[in-house]
Amino acid sequence: MNINKQIEIDVSDAITERPFRFSVGEQCYSIYPPTLGKMQLLKNLYLCIDVDERLFNANMSRELLQVCRNQKDVVCQIVAYSTFRSKAELLNADKVICRARHFEQNLSVEDLATLLSLILSSDRTNEFIGYFGLDKERLKRQEISRIKGDGSSVTFGGRSIYGLLIDFACQRYGWTLDYILWGISLVNLNMLMSDAITTVYLSDEERKQLGMTGGGVINADDPANNELLRELIRE
C-alpha cells in the first residue's frame, strides 16, 4: 500500500480513536489510545522497564521479547491499563491488578511482546506532524516571533505540560481538566495544539525579513492561476 494512503488511514483511526482488539481465550479486550491521564499512569511503569536503548533500536523485537520475559508482571500491568478506558476503571487499582494477573497467567511472552510493541508505537504524533508539514510551520512561527519581538512585551509560563498543553486546551476549547485528562486521546490533543489555526498580521517590512513577497489575493477561479495554486499546496 502507498505510504501516504497508509498514513491517511492511520490519521483516520487516530481521529476516531479506534481501538485494537485482541482475545485471551474466549474473552475479548480492546487496547484504547492513551489519554493524557492514562499516559501519566503508564509513565512510572515505562520507567520500570529495563530496556537497553542501543539494542532496542537495533533489534526491537528481540529486546521486547527479553523485556517481556524478564519483567512479565510489569508488562502485564501496562497491557491491563491499556485495556481500560474510563477514569473510574483506570483509577481502580484492584481491577487493574486483577486483569494484569489474568494476562500474566494466560498470555505467552510472544503475545505480550506483540501487544507491548503496539502500545509503545501508538503515539503517532511526530509522524503526523511531519506528514502534514507542521514541523516546518513551527519553525516559521518561531522566525515570525523573533522578527515581531520588539522588546515591549514579556511572556511568562509555558515551562511545563500545565502551560504548554493543559492551559492551552482549557482556554481555547473551554474544556475541563477532567476531560483533557480522561476524555480525549493524547494524539488528538497534541494534533489539535500543533495544527491550531493562528493568524499573524505582518507589516511589509516584516514580510521582507521573512522572505515573503507579494501579499495580494489569488483568484482560484482563474485557470491561469492553477499552477501557482498547485505550487502553494505542495509547499
Side-chain angles (χ1 to χ4, degrees):
M1 181 183 293
N2 181 285
I3 187 169
N4 289 343
K5 288 183 179 180
Q6 183 58 57
I7 292 179
E8 289 291 345
I9 291 172
D10 293 338
V11 169
S12 295
D13 287 345
I15 290 173
T16 57
E17 301 185 4
R18 181 172 175 265
F20 172 82
R21 291 181 171 81
F22 68 98
S23 299
V24 180
E26 296 182 356
Q27 183 67 46
C28 292
Y29 299 93
S30 293
I31 292 179
Y32 298 99
T35 61
L36 179 58
K38 183 191 288 188
M39 187 57 71
Q40 299 310 303
L41 294 174
L42 289 172
K43 208 178 252 186
N44 290 337
L45 294 173
Y46 288 149
L47 292 173
C48 291
I49 296 178
D50 185 18
V51 176
D52 187 322
E53 289 190 12
R54 292 171 301 176
L55 293 175
F56 188 82
N57 293 329
N59 194 330
M60 184 177 71
S61 298
R62 181 177 177 180
E63 185 65 12
L64 286 178
L65 283 170
Q66 189 70 14
V67 168
C68 293
R69 198 173 286 118
N70 295 339
Q71 296 173 279
K72 190 174 183 181
D73 57 335
V74 178
V75 173
C76 286
Q77 287 183 60
I78 292 172
V79 176
Y81 270 115
S82 299
T83 59
F84 289 115
R85 192 170 196 173
S86 71
K87 175 184 176 180
E89 290 175 321
L90 287 163
L91 295 182
N92 187 331
D94 291 338
K95 195 169 186 176
V96 173
I97 292 299
C98 180
R99 183 166 293 184
R101 287 173 178 164
H102 174 66
F103 289 157
E104 191 171 0
Q105 294 168 2
N106 294 281
L107 286 174
S108 67
V109 168
E110 291 75 16
D111 289 336
L112 285 172
T114 299
L115 293 172
L116 182 59
S117 175
L118 182 71
I119 293 166
L120 292 176
S121 61
S122 63
D123 186 354
R124 308 285 295 282
T125 303
N126 289 334
E127 187 176 349
F128 294 164
I129 284 175
Y131 176 71
F132 289 114
L134 301 179
D135 48 347
K136 296 176 183 177
E137 280 202 352
R138 186 178 296 166
L139 294 175
K140 186 178 292 184
R141 288 184 187 184
Q142 292 173 355
E143 181 66 8
I144 289 173
S145 295
R146 183 188 67 79
I147 289 174
K148 289 191 72 67
D150 57 7
S152 61
S153 63
V154 179
T155 301
F156 295 96
R159 298 176 63 87
S160 71
I161 194 171
Y162 289 101
L164 290 172
L165 191 62
I166 296 174
D167 180 65
F168 173 87
C170 285
Q171 289 196 52
R172 186 174 183 89
Y173 304 108
W175 292 338
T176 63
L177 176 61
D178 196 71
Y179 181 76
I180 293 169
L181 287 175
W182 311 105
I184 183 172
S185 70
L186 185 56
V187 65
N188 277 339
L189 186 59
N190 279 324
M191 288 304 295
L192 282 170
M193 185 181 73
S194 299
D195 200 22
I197 296 174
T198 304
T199 301
V200 179
Y201 295 95
L202 302 172
S203 66
D204 291 340
E205 181 58 32
E206 289 167 340
R207 292 179 65 85
K208 288 179 183 177
Q209 291 184 57
L210 287 166
M212 301 169 67
T213 58
V217 177
I218 300 173
N219 182 4
D221 294 325
D222 187 349
N225 291 326
N226 286 348
E227 185 58 34
L228 177 57
L229 288 169
R230 278 195 289 269
E231 286 296 325
L232 291 172
I233 292 171
R234 278 197 288 269
E235 291 176 2

